[in-house]
């Protein structure tokens, strides 16, 4: 079994990664190989992926593609309940604030839950709710990771500095028509 998690990150550094993997594996006994890849659907190279999957020709080694879908209402309700909130009230607040798209992804769902106060969100507007979520994403909540980062970085950035830098980077990406930043 070969497992590659985050193939889309690998494609940033090596755009022909799937083609190279296919080229490498075409001379190998694929009937004895199980290949597991994870990749954001949007980033998956369709044509190259089909060529790679074609290496497994026998029915018992057929390839399967699974796509992770956005969270459902029930998933968001359950997550809110696990954090001690009334799930239905949380979903009503999500609907009133018009932030269902944020509730459909785990990372943004968790900051919505953190902003929820029984009936409403702390933020008074959708924009403020988003800003509060961005602030939470810029704060390191994992104590061990924070200590490790301090060991390896020369300077420690404040949350405000991280927000400012991420805003400038996002603006540059949008204006430049790019989807990622590559640092060699």
């Amino acid at each position: 079994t070969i497992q590659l998690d985050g193939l889309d990150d690998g494609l940033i550094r090596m755009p022909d990664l799937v083609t190279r993997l296919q080229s490498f594996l075409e001379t190998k006994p694929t009937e004895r190989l199980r290949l597991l890849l994870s990749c954001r659907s949007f980033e998956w190279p369709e044509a190259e992926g089909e060529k790679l999957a074609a290496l497994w020709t026998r029915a018992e080694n057929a390839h399967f593609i699974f796509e992770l879908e956005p969270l459902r209402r029930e998933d968001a309700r359950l997550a809110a309940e696990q954090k001690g909130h009334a799930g239905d009230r949380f979903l009503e607040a999500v609907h009133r604030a018009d932030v269902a798209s944020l509730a459909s992804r785990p990372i943004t769902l968790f900051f919505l839950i953190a902003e929820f106060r029984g009936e409403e969100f702390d933020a008074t507007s959708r924009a403020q709710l988003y800003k509060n979520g961005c602030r939470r994403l810029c704060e390191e909540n994992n104590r061990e990771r924070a200590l490790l980062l301090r060991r390896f970085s020369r300077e420690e950035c404040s949350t405000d500095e991280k927000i400012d830098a991420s805003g400038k980077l996002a603006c540059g990406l949008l204006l430049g028509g790019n989807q990622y930043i590559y640092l060699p």
Side-chain angles (χ1 to χ4, degrees), residues 140-157:
E140 184 54 65
N141 295 319
N142 182 323
R143 189 172 163 225
E144 289 178 23
R145 189 174 194 295
L147 291 171
L148 186 64
L149 287 171
R150 268 189 230 122
R151 259 182 50 200
F152 291 107
S153 68
R154 286 172 253 160
E155 293 180 30
E156 187 169 332
C157 294

Side-chain angles (χ1 to χ4, degrees), residues 60-177:
E60 64 268 17
N61 289 321
H63 67 278
F64 299 95
I65 296 174
F66 299 98
E67 188 169 343
L68 292 178
E69 296 293 326
L71 296 173
R72 302 167 300 159
R73 289 177 53 87
E74 185 56 36
D75 301 322
R77 174 184 311 162
L78 179 61
E81 289 171 355
Q82 292 291 317
K83 295 291 184 178
H85 297 293
D88 289 330
R89 286 192 191 136
F90 174 75
L91 291 177
E92 289 167 11
V94 165
H95 180 70
R96 279 192 304 276
D98 193 24
V99 291
S101 61
L102 295 178
S104 70
R105 306 277 183 229
I107 196 163
T108 49
L109 171 63
F110 291 131
F111 80 62
L112 287 177
I113 291 172
E115 287 284 317
F116 187 65
R117 298 293 177 258
E119 296 290 329
E120 295 293 331
F121 295 106
D122 272 349
T124 56
S125 70
R126 205 171 143 194
Q128 186 60 50
L129 186 58
Y130 187 76
K131 285 179 184 177
N132 292 355
C134 289
R135 175 170 287 285
R136 286 182 184 278
L137 292 174
C138 287
E139 296 169 348
E140 184 54 65
N141 295 319
N142 182 323
R143 189 172 163 225
E144 289 178 23
R145 189 174 194 295
L147 291 171
L148 186 64
L149 287 171
R150 268 189 230 122
R151 259 182 50 200
F152 291 107
S153 68
R154 286 172 253 160
E155 293 180 30
E156 187 169 332
C157 294
S158 70
T159 300
D160 288 332
E161 289 171 320
K162 290 176 186 175
I163 290 171
D164 185 49
S166 62
K168 289 175 182 174
L169 290 170
C171 185
L173 287 170
L174 286 171
L175 292 174

Side-chain angles (χ1 to χ4, degrees), residues 30-71:
T30 54
E31 67 276 358
R32 299 182 334 169
L33 177 65
R34 187 168 69 159
L35 180 63
L36 304 171
L37 304 173
S38 72
C39 181
R40 288 180 183 91
S41 299
F42 186 74
E43 304 293 332
W44 178 249
E46 293 279 338
E48 294 89 346
E50 287 299 320
K51 288 178 187 173
L52 178 63
L55 296 177
W56 284 265
T57 55
R58 295 182 16 202
E60 64 268 17
N61 289 321
H63 67 278
F64 299 95
I65 296 174
F66 299 98
E67 188 169 343
L68 292 178
E69 296 293 326
L71 296 173

Side-chain angles (χ1 to χ4, degrees), residues 9-10 12-15 154 180-184:
D9 291 330
I12 291 171
R13 292 184 181 255
M14 188 184 300
R154 286 172 253 160
Y180 54 83
I181 297 168
Y182 173 65
L183 299 171

